[in-house]
Amino acid sequence: MNMRLPVTVIALSLAIFFVAPELCRAQASVPPSYQIGPNDVLSIHVWKEEDLSRDVTVTPDGKISFPLIGEMVAEGRTVTELKKSISDKLLNFVTAPEVTVIVKESRSRVIYTIGKVQRPGPQPLAPDMTVMQALSAAGGFAEWADTKNVLIVRKVGGKETKIKFNFKEFTGGDNLDQNIVLKPGDTIVVP
């Protein structure tokens, strides 16, 4: 038997183990309906106006600061809405401004996994991410995880609600509705 084959397989496996999670975390393009939130990093480019082009971070109170305009609310707006607002305000200073707004880093759409998962902690919330997808992004269950009593903790109207998720039931084909789409700020607790 060729000894190089097992070494190659081990090297490839390690590469996938360490690199794949980073690839999964890479910023995917945001859908047009994406609402900008606090801590998001935006890349704003004004055509032929390099002094105005820059990356800005949305402040915790939902605002950005931009040259010539000052502070303006970005939270809750889509990229298209913010682009139009910046263009309209720049009309006082620039002839026919062509503005591009890109969400460079989506930091406001985060979920948390805690407990017995391989990689607990915050992770970016992908569009339409389900409980199963989030558990996969967290590396799956750790040894001795209670997969029958997973909880999703969600704040609704200032109150915390708990949603049960039974991995064994779901993978057995029962109660498939429990694999809900997650919302920003959700916490998955694996006892």
Side-chain angles (χ1 to χ4, degrees):
M1 179 174 173
N2 184 351
M3 288 304 292
R4 293 186 68 145
L5 181 61
V7 171
T8 304
V9 170
I10 291 170
L12 183 59
S13 298
L14 286 172
I16 290 171
F17 179 77
F18 288 109
V19 174
E22 295 306 315
L23 292 175
C24 290
R25 289 185 189 111
Q27 175 67 37
S29 63
V30 296
S33 61
Y34 178 85
Q35 291 189 337
I36 297 166
N39 301 316
D40 283 350
V41 178
L42 308 175
S43 182
I44 302 173
H45 181 76
V46 183
W47 189 59
K48 291 189 176 181
E49 299 290 339
E50 289 304 315
D51 291 343
L52 296 177
S53 299
R54 62 196 58 223
D55 289 350
V56 297
T57 301
V58 181
T59 59
D61 65 351
K63 296 178 182 175
I64 61 169
S65 183
F66 200 74
L68 302 178
I69 296 172
E71 281 192 348
M72 63 187 306
V73 175
E75 181 178 12
R77 294 182 172 185
T78 65
V79 168
T80 304
E81 291 168 343
L82 184 60
K83 171 185 163 181
K84 182 175 179 350
S85 181
I86 292 171
S87 295
D88 290 347
K89 290 183 184 223
L90 283 177
L91 277 172
N92 296 327
F93 309 100
V94 178
T95 306
E98 282 293 321
V99 177
T100 303
V101 177
I102 298 169
V103 178
K104 190 171 181 181
E105 291 180 52
S106 174
R107 294 181 182 168
S108 64
R109 295 183 50 86
V110 176
I111 59 165
Y112 305 89
T113 51
I114 62 172
K116 294 183 178 148
V117 290
Q118 296 295 331
R119 289 185 302 275
Q123 56 182 290
L125 177 63
D128 299 321
M129 183 182 247
T130 64
V131 176
M132 286 292 289
Q133 292 167 337
L135 289 169
S136 173
F141 295 112
E143 191 174 13
W144 307 109
D146 183 357
T147 62
K148 292 181 183 179
N149 292 302
V150 176
L151 287 177
I152 295 93
V153 179
R154 175 177 289 169
K155 279 195 177 181
V156 178
K159 293 184 178 181
E160 287 189 348
T161 61
K162 295 177 184 172
I163 305 162
K164 277 193 80 170
F165 180 79
N166 185 323
F167 177 78
K168 295 228 186 240
E169 268 185 13
F170 179 79
T171 55
D174 298 326
N175 197 7
L176 299 178
D177 292 341
Q178 64 183 323
N179 189 28
I180 61 171
V181 173
L182 297 170
K183 294 185 177 183
D186 281 356
T187 301
I188 299 173
V189 182
V190 180

